[in-house]
Amino acid sequence: MRTEIMLVPLIVGCYTYRPLPSTPPETGSRVSAELTDQGSIDMSSQLGPGVTQVQGEVLPSDSIALRLAILTTANSRGIESDWQREQVAIPVNALGRLEQRRFSVSQTALAGGLAITGLYAMYRLLGGPGIFEGSAGHGSSEGS
């Protein structure tokens, strides 16, 4: 097996969103913010009508508003829109649930293990050396 396959767990990374503790998110962290019903209405001129979910990178913020470089938004029907890191200040009272993106060691290990297993199986199916390599003459029918 090639050594490049062993690098798969380093390339594959799984992330999950987890509720934030009571402290505000750190600048540069990735967050997912659910807007309150009123927040969705109040932010419609900046985010679009019916937007209920925003994901982005935290910019320097204060106690009045959370500033984000927005990556995606989702409306009440679950339709997502990609953004190009446009900066928007969301008032704290417009925020419902706030979660932070975190690296998941267990999910990454599982994904990496599955990827390595799958690559190894493909390698073997496509003609990689067999476990009986070196037992020449067995199973061949040369000559008549």
Side-chain angles (χ1 to χ4, degrees):
M1 188 158 57
R2 300 185 62 177
T3 57
E4 291 86 7
I5 292 175
M6 301 308 287
L7 297 176
V8 170
L10 299 177
I11 298 168
V12 176
C14 296
Y15 293 84
T16 59
Y17 281 92
R18 296 198 179 118
L20 272 170
S22 58
T23 59
E26 292 181 20
T27 298
S29 63
R30 179 94 53 96
V31 297
S32 177
E34 185 177 296
L35 302 178
T36 62
D37 291 341
Q38 187 61 47
S40 179
I41 294 167
D42 294 345
M43 295 301 298
S44 64
S45 63
Q46 294 179 58
L47 300 174
V51 169
T52 58
Q53 189 86 20
V54 177
Q55 289 184 6
E57 188 174 297
V58 177
L59 300 171
S61 302
D62 55 34
S63 61
I64 297 170
L66 175 66
R67 292 193 46 216
L68 296 176
I70 299 184
L71 302 169
T72 62
T73 59
N75 66 20
S76 57
R77 294 181 299 200
I79 298 171
E80 292 188 0
S81 298
D82 292 328
W83 287 51
Q84 301 299 313
R85 301 178 61 80
E86 290 90 350
Q87 296 182 16
V88 175
I90 303 171
V92 173
N93 63 358
L95 296 171
R97 186 176 58 197
L98 190 61
E99 297 177 326
Q100 187 169 12
R101 183 178 184 222
R102 305 246 182 193
F103 182 74
S104 174
V105 174
S106 60
Q107 288 181 357
T108 299
L110 178 62
L114 290 173
I116 289 172
T117 301
L119 288 171
Y120 181 72
M122 285 179 21
Y123 170 74
R124 293 297 303 269
L125 286 171
L126 297 175
I131 58 173
F132 298 110
E133 190 173 281
S135 54
H138 295 287
S140 65
S141 56
E142 290 187 24
S144 289

